[in-house]
Amino acid sequence: MTRDLRAARTGAVLTFVLAGLLCGSMTVRIPALSDKLGLSEASVGATLLVWGLGALITMQSMRGVMTRFGSRSILRVAAPLTAITLALLALAPSFPLVLAASGLFGMAFGAVDVAMNAQGSTVERAYGRPLMNGMHAGWCVGAISAGLLGTAAIAAGLSVTVHLTLVALLALPVAALVSRSYLPDPVTAVGRSAKGRSAGGRGAARRRMPPVVYLLGVIAFCAFMVEGTVADWNGLYLRNVLGAPEALAALGYPIFEVGMLAGRLTGDRVRARFGARGMMVASGLATAATFGVVLTAPTAAIAISAMLFVGVAVATVSPMAMSLAGGATGDPGPAIAQTGAMGYAGLLLGPVIIGFLSDLVTLRVGLGLAVVLGVLIAVVAWFLPRSRAITVPLETPGRELSMAA
């Protein structure tokens, strides 16, 4: 294994860490941002919605952009822009400017999310073995670090403006340093034909994706919706339905994230042994079963303990969906952009649907949607191909490696 390839793997993981840190830093200081500008709950909700819509719009438009420029070039621009727009969000003096900065932050982050998954797929294909779960574990590390740094900043009395600006300023040189390790994306088969990559890539971007990409998009949609459901509704469920004190209810999501981290750290080895298709089916069923325990738990302590296993169960689903999407075509970028856009649509719609169902029935029944989503992941994964071939783009472009799926 060459030094450049090892550096590329490290750089890809650190990019996930950086993205998780920047996004998590915003999330952890939302209460302080609300206090700073006197925002209502509706205004906070609007800010988060604009952020999500900005990310979704960028992801949906990335198919052609990824084909033309590749993940390496996009990350070198979008990662610093994500840090800069986080600082703009921190410095915004009014609600309209917060909305504008939130939208820009979401758009920059959306580009980073697609490009870093495409870069991860390129590194994974160069290695010829599963690596994507470990890279997504980097996101969990970044998000957890954001929470710890946020707690430290609050304890030190740092304002939201100072805290987020410092995070952004520290992220800029890190992004520049990491960008040196990125690999070029593989050349598509179409692009190697008569007119080269540029003309062929544009044609590939216009064509409809293979059906498997949309199947993987449905799986990512369900997995992201489960993750969003836990993030946005778990605390209210523990407090309002199971009667947990607020401090205890707040533990549900961090424990879920710890489970996610554990699942992703071990996920690549499990996938290499059992294959992605079987692992996705098992993960979907395990998600349904463990979330069922959360909903039927008689006490908050049991429900919180079960959240750890929900995190382990669902952790590997979205990374594997991105990985398989990257191997579905010659150029991973457009396929990952499509799958990622479908996944983030679930992240946006999930909390809204749960809220609507909770108003119609009860929060417990509304959260039962997560059980249905787990079963749906298993059912859709059953129709995935049992194996896929991935092209190794570095040094030996004609060689093929078979990766179990």
Side-chain angles (χ1 to χ4, degrees):
M1 196 65 62
T2 67
R3 180 179 299 178
D4 287 346
L5 197 51
R6 287 194 296 269
R9 180 182 180 182
T10 301
V13 172
L14 289 176
T15 302
F16 276 86
V17 173
L18 189 64
L21 175 65
L22 291 171
C23 187
S25 294
M26 170 197 169
T27 301
V28 78
R29 295 310 301 264
I30 284 175
L33 186 66
S34 174
D35 292 343
K36 171 188 172 183
L37 299 176
L39 303 181
S40 65
E41 291 183 359
S43 296
V44 172
T47 301
L48 294 174
L49 178 62
V50 168
W51 177 88
L53 289 174
L56 186 60
I57 290 169
T58 301
M59 289 177 177
Q60 193 59 56
S61 66
M62 286 291 285
R63 281 175 55 172
V65 177
M66 285 293 299
T67 302
R68 182 170 184 180
F69 296 104
S71 63
R72 179 168 64 176
S73 297
I74 291 172
L75 281 173
R76 286 175 173 175
V77 174
L81 280 178
T82 303
I84 291 169
T85 51
L86 177 65
L88 292 178
L89 181 65
L91 295 167
S94 64
F95 177 57
L97 291 177
V98 162
L99 283 181
S102 180
L104 293 173
F105 181 56
M107 294 176 72
F109 170 77
V112 167
D113 192 273
V114 171
M116 71 183 182
N117 276 286
Q119 178 64 202
S121 177
T122 297
V123 174
E124 183 179 62
R125 294 163 76 179
Y127 266 77
R129 60 186 174 88
L131 297 174
M132 192 68 85
N133 280 303
M135 293 179 188
H136 278 254
W139 169 273
C140 295
V141 171
I144 293 170
S145 299
L148 295 175
L149 289 173
T151 300
I154 293 169
L158 292 181
S159 69
V160 60
T161 302
V162 173
H163 172 207
L164 295 187
T165 301
L166 285 175
V167 170
L169 290 174
L170 290 173
L172 284 171
V174 174
L177 183 63
V178 169
S179 70
R180 299 177 182 177
S181 66
Y182 296 144
L183 299 179
D185 289 353
V187 178
T188 67
V190 176
R192 286 194 298 266
S193 65
K195 293 187 179 181
R197 180 178 182 186
S198 179
R202 287 193 294 271
R206 287 194 294 268
R207 288 200 304 272
R208 186 177 180 85
M209 288 287 159
V212 68
V213 173
Y214 296 98
L215 283 178
L216 293 167
V218 171
I219 291 172
F221 177 92
C222 295
F224 274 111
M225 188 177 282
V226 171
E227 293 178 29
T229 294
V230 173
D232 293 331
W233 291 102
N234 175 68
L236 286 175
Y237 170 73
L238 292 171
R239 189 187 68 180
N240 296 351
V241 177
L242 296 183
E246 188 169 358
L248 181 61
L251 289 177
Y253 184 64
I255 287 178
F256 170 78
E257 280 289 339
V258 170
M260 291 267 286
L261 177 59
R264 288 174 174 175
L265 287 174
T266 58
D268 289 325
R269 291 191 294 273
V270 176
R271 176 183 169 183
R273 182 176 178 84
F274 297 104
R277 177 178 175 270
M279 191 173 170
M280 278 188 176
V281 172
S283 294
L285 295 176
T287 299
T290 52
F291 211 98
V293 173
V294 172
L295 296 179
T296 57
T299 66
I302 294 176
I304 290 173
S305 299
M307 288 309 307
L308 176 71
F309 297 99
V310 175
V312 173
V314 78
T316 59
V317 177
S318 56
M320 284 193 293
M322 297 292 186
S323 174
L324 294 179
T329 61
D331 188 349
I336 286 176
Q338 181 64 52
T339 300
M342 293 177 70
Y344 271 84
L347 195 65
L348 284 176
L349 290 176
V352 177
I353 294 173
I354 296 296
F356 179 74
L357 290 176
S358 300
D359 284 340
L360 285 180
V361 280
T362 64
L363 180 56
R364 191 193 297 268
V365 174
L367 289 175
L369 179 62
V371 177
V372 177
L373 291 169
V375 174
L376 187 58
I377 289 170
V379 171
V380 176
W382 185 260
F383 292 98
L384 292 175
R386 288 186 178 273
S387 64
R388 300 198 62 81
I390 58 171
T391 302
V392 182
L394 298 179
E395 299 180 349
T396 54
R399 186 162 58 92
E400 299 284 322
L401 288 177
S402 176
M403 180 178 294

